[in-house]
Amino acid sequence: MDNLIIFVLVIAAVWGLFLLPSLIEARREAPLTSTKRYDQMAARLSVPQTQASPVNRARASARRRRTLIVAGLLAAGTLAAAIITANVWVLVAHLVIDAFLAWYVAMLVQLRKQEHRVALARRVQEAPVESTPQVRVIAG
């Protein structure tokens, strides 16, 4: 029972380390007045949803990377804890974390494929249309 409590506390601490930077960043970027908030919302709505700004893309990439790192560390930690303690519940927790990690990686692969499809569709739309060559008939 003591091992389970320690295990739960370790998982809570790791998730806290993962979530705290996001919360602090969100508070730092919070608008001070309602007019600033309105301006931010108006700016977001004026940008077409198909175009993600480089800043948003970088933030999303950082969040995804952080999630992968935390899930990988949790998977390794729970595997080590399951081996050391020989506890079935820790092994079940490890399997749940492994399943989450597999699902998350599959989701990221799908997102990457979708981004490639959208980029390819944009390139096809922007590609110059070649005119058909004119055929000249020369009578001799």
Side-chain angles (χ1 to χ4, degrees), residues 36-106:
K36 285 184 182 178
R37 186 174 186 182
Y38 176 79
D39 288 342
Q40 285 179 352
M41 289 299 288
R44 275 192 211 145
L45 292 175
S46 67
V47 176
Q49 293 299 321
T50 57
Q51 298 175 348
S53 70
V55 174
N56 290 339
R57 216 175 283 151
R59 286 181 187 164
S61 178
R63 277 194 312 267
R64 290 174 185 153
R65 192 175 312 112
R66 220 175 15 218
T67 302
L68 275 175
I69 289 170
V70 168
L73 289 174
L74 279 174
T78 53
L79 179 62
I83 291 172
I84 291 170
T85 62
N87 191 339
V88 174
W89 293 108
V90 178
L91 182 62
V92 169
H94 171 70
L95 293 175
V96 168
I97 292 171
D98 280 349
F100 166 77
L101 191 58
W103 169 80
Y104 194 72
V105 168

Side-chain angles (χ1 to χ4, degrees), residues 4-19:
L4 183 63
I5 292 172
I6 291 172
F7 175 72
V8 170
L9 289 174
V10 168
I11 289 178
V14 170
W15 276 111
L17 289 173
F18 173 71
L19 292 176

Side-chain angles (χ1 to χ4, degrees), residues 18-39:
F18 173 71
L19 292 176
L20 281 178
S22 298
L23 291 174
I24 292 170
E25 182 179 307
R27 290 294 292 164
R28 190 178 311 135
E29 294 176 357
L32 299 176
T33 65
S34 61
T35 55
K36 285 184 182 178
R37 186 174 186 182
Y38 176 79
D39 288 342

